[in-house]
């Protein structure tokens, strides 16, 4: 069922004993009743429902318009919940949990059949994470259940980093939205597969490969993330995502080359938008420039990326240009999202790239 009214709660993330606040208890009650509500995590807002209820999971898929072959992440509030749902906790997974939970890391385990097959989309594995956000943790604790939560956007839209973004996409389609302020990281969690000997990154995200390697040594990266003809191991990675309202074109080259692409598009009569780092601000001829932070400060760029992609209204511009980033640290997640938003459209200054 689609709700006519979406309740709006506001919660101060800094108050003590959040688990017992009226707003959290109300929101958690909806989860207990198998309805779905949105809440902040440290990465992006999630759309949460009881992971043990097919009814709740159906509502999540309906509200988002999400393909049912794309499994959900199960969110927990304490490490000991993991063993209820998995066949085993491999040593490397345990090391990652100890090092990075709560935090922006989702771990894929072999499941033991306890959870709904709707959550896992019929796979033999389940993705689990403990978010590092007091509001998310309080809701999961108060609900007393594992909470399945994809990002709280309509499928194909940029993930929400504020409650206002969730309202834009899901008002009237879900029971409620808990506003706990802006999220911190700005891109989703890193998804790693721990079911084989070597840990493999299936989706780059808020926790960097470099940090993961410090905890468990060399990790693999799903080849499908860089090679177009490979099927990704994480089902969600095959869909076009994060689409802004106009085509996005990535530009690999220096600042002058970037500015030239914008000049050329304008000369051909297009209304042009641009995502610009601070060093380019005011230098392009774009009709609308949206700043995404200092080029060297990838944490800020990650925080600004989705709001920037959302900031172009329908028909406001005909095309949006953005420069590429180096693919290390948070740059891997930023470039993964930019490439998907651009649907592969990239212009290289030097032909041989
Ligand atoms: O930061 C995040 O992870 C946010 C917040 C709300 O926690 N959630 C999120 O969920 O990004 P979602 O549903 O938008 O993305 C989940 C990703 C998808 O790419 C999905 O295919 C993958 O995780 N996934 C889920 N279960 C999986 C599994 N068993 N094996 C491989 N990939 C899986
Ligand atoms: Mg998502």
């Amino acid at each position: 069922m689609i709700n006519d009214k979406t309740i709006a709660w506001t919660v101060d993330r800094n108050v003590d004993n959040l688990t017992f606040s009226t707003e959290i208890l109300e929101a958690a009650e909806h989860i207990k009743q198998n309805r779905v509500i949105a809440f902040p995590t440290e990465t992006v807002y999630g759309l949460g429902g009881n992971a043990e209820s097919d009814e709740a999971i159906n509502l999540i898929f309906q509200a988002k318009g999400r393909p049912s072959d794309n499994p959900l992440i199960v969110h927990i509030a304490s490490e000991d919940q993991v063993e209820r749902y998995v066949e085993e906790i491999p040593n490397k997974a345990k090391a990652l949990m100890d090092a990075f939970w709560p935090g922006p890391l989702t771990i894929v385990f072999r499941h033991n059949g306890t959870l709904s097959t709707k959550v896992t989309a019929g796979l033999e594995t389940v993705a689990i994470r403990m978010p590092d956000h007091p509001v998310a943790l309080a809701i999961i604790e108060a609900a007393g259940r594992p909470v399945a939560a994809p990002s709280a956007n309509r499928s194909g839209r940029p993930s929400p980093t504020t409650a206002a973004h969730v309202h834009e996409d899901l008002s009237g389609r879900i029971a409620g939205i808990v506003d706990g302020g802006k999220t911190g990281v700005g891109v989703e969690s890193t998804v790693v597969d721990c079911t084989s000997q070597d840990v493999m990154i299936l989706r780059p995200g808020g926790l960097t490969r470099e940090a993961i390697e410090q905890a468990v040594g060399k990790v693999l990266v799903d080849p499908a993330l860089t090679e177009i003809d490979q099927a990704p191991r994480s089902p969600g990675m095959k869909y076009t995502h994060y689409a802004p309202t106009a085509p996005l074109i990535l530009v690999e080259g220096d600042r002058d080359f970037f500015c030239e692409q914008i000049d050329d598009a304008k000369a051909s009569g297009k209304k042009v938008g641009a995502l610009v780092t601070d060093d380019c601000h005011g230098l392009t001829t774009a009709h609308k420039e949206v700043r995404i932070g200092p080029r060297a400060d990838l944490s800020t760029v990650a925080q600004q990326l989705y709001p920037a992609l959302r900031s172009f209204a329908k028909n406001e511009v005909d095309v949006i240009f953005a420069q590429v980033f180096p693919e290390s640290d948070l740059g891997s997640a930023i470039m993964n999202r930019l490439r998907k938003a651009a649907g592969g459209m990239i212009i290289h200054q030097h032909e041989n790239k």
Side-chain angles (χ1 to χ4, degrees):
M1 196 194 75
I2 304 293
N3 306 77
D4 299 334
K5 280 226 179 86
T6 297
I7 304 167
W9 297 281
T10 304
V11 171
D12 177 356
R13 58 172 289 160
N14 297 313
V15 304
D16 292 337
N17 280 332
L18 257 184
T19 312
F20 302 105
S21 78
T22 317
E23 293 80 7
I24 296 287
L25 289 173
E26 268 182 39
E29 186 57 30
H30 283 275
I31 292 188
K32 289 187 190 173
Q33 301 294 328
N34 300 333
R35 291 187 288 263
V36 299
I37 54 140
F39 57 83
T41 79
E42 82 281 31
T43 56
V44 299
Y45 272 72
L47 176 60
N50 179 359
E52 292 171 342
S53 155
D54 282 358
E55 185 190 346
I57 304 306
N58 281 339
L59 285 178
I60 292 177
F61 280 99
Q62 268 176 36
K64 280 184 61 91
R66 180 178 175 111
S68 60
D69 67 346
N70 190 3
L72 304 177
I73 297 172
V74 175
H75 294 64
I76 55 171
S78 70
E79 263 195 31
D80 52 16
Q81 284 180 277
V82 174
E83 56 199 37
R84 293 188 217 159
Y85 309 110
V86 306
E87 226 169 52
E88 55 156 355
I89 301 178
N91 289 339
K92 285 186 180 170
K94 180 75 176 91
L96 290 173
M97 288 156 64
D98 289 345
F100 301 115
W101 277 5
L105 175 71
T106 295
I107 302 178
V108 172
F109 299 88
R110 227 172 272 288
H111 68 65
N112 63 9
T114 311
L115 286 163
S116 159
T117 55
K118 291 193 185 275
V119 174
T120 58
L123 299 178
E124 286 175 356
T125 54
V126 60
I128 304 183
R129 108 170 177 98
M130 189 189 328
D132 186 16
H133 194 294
V135 174
L137 291 170
I139 290 173
I140 300 165
E141 249 167 57
R145 289 155 175 72
V147 174
S151 49
N153 50 284
R154 288 292 283 270
S155 227
R157 295 262 295 145
S159 298
T161 57
T162 65
H165 296 158
V166 184
H167 279 284
E168 255 169 46
D169 280 15
L170 297 176
S171 241
R173 303 178 69 85
I174 61 176
I177 300 172
V178 180
D179 184 346
K182 247 198 234 172
T183 64
V185 179
V187 293
E188 300 86 341
S189 61
T190 302
V191 179
V192 296
D193 183 346
C194 285
T195 62
S196 308
Q197 185 52 36
D198 293 314
V199 172
M200 183 186 276
I201 295 179
L202 305 184
R203 174 178 75 177
L207 183 68
T208 66
R209 173 187 184 162
E210 291 81 352
I212 295 171
E213 288 190 329
Q214 276 191 1
V216 291
K218 188 95 191 120
V219 300
L220 307 174
V221 177
D222 184 354
L225 294 176
T226 45
E227 288 160 37
I228 293 155
D229 55 352
Q230 295 255 354
R233 288 159 213 246
S234 176
M237 298 307 283
K238 69 174 180 275
Y239 299 105
T240 313
H241 264 91
Y242 320 117
T245 50
L248 175 72
I249 300 178
L250 301 183
V251 180
E252 185 185 41
D254 59 24
R255 197 162 67 188
D256 289 344
F257 183 73
F258 180 58
C259 291
E260 271 166 42
Q261 304 316 303
I262 293 170
D263 295 343
D264 290 353
K266 269 190 86 172
S268 72
K270 293 205 166 99
K271 268 204 111 173
V272 181
L275 301 190
V276 297
T277 45
D278 291 352
D279 56 305
C280 281
H281 177 56
L283 296 183
T284 80
T285 55
H287 295 91
K288 174 169 171 172
E289 276 186 357
V290 179
R291 274 170 94 158
I292 53 174
R295 171 152 287 276
D297 178 3
L298 294 173
S299 307
T300 300
V301 174
Q303 280 169 359
Q304 301 295 335
L305 187 63
Y306 288 140
L309 289 172
R310 275 181 180 266
S311 70
F312 293 95
K314 225 176 171 180
N315 302 326
E316 189 179 8
V317 294
D318 301 314
V319 61
I320 304 165
F321 288 95
Q323 276 185 294
V324 302
F325 289 86
E327 302 207 32
S328 53
D329 293 304
L330 271 178
S332 308
I334 292 166
M335 277 306 294
N336 172 267
R337 307 311 190 266
L338 277 174
R339 267 206 224 90
K340 282 171 154 284
M345 279 194 288
I346 179 159
I347 301 174
H348 299 281
Q349 182 169 16
H350 302 291
E351 287 289 328
N352 58 352
K353 281 282 178 80

